[in-house]
Amino acid sequence: MTVNLSGERVAAPAPPVKRVVVEVARFALVGGSGIAVNFLVFNVLLHGLHRAAMPATVLASLIAMGTNYLGFRYFAYRDRASRTRRQIALFFGFSGIGVAMETGLFYVGYHGLGLTGPFESNAVKAASIVLASAFRFLVYRTWVFQHDAHRT
């Protein structure tokens, strides 16, 4: 509980705004864990096992995609419509587009700009994840995990 000591009137956030803030926080939590999985697998493959950069980034992204589905379905968007084949197909279809975006951006930085060192490759990986995540947030909330008309 918070107490307003300034004497100013403070309006409570409107329910739709609060709902979006909670949704963004849950998306960030699941996305953050997916990013951790993505970076862990990427670094183990590229810098630990010395595998090729492009297969390492694709495999890391695909593994993170699988863990993210579970987090989004059962945590971030658990109040949305129940799981359907359509929802799963949309999730993995849009996630695949996100992986392609992420991989393309990574390719430009890693091969195109020559940012191949451990720090540089991780910076390029981070930038590619951020840009692809903006796309993912919009499509997941709009088309994949839609509100069930009976639950609102």
Side-chain angles (χ1 to χ4, degrees), residues 55-78:
T57 196
V58 170
L59 186 57
S61 296
L62 292 174
I63 291 170
M65 179 189 348
T67 61
N68 280 356
Y69 177 77
L70 297 173
F72 289 133
R73 173 69 257 149
Y74 297 107
F75 177 68
Y77 296 116
R78 68 176 179 244

Side-chain angles (χ1 to χ4, degrees), residues 22 39 62 103 133:
V22 168
F39 273 103
L62 292 174
T103 302
S133 292

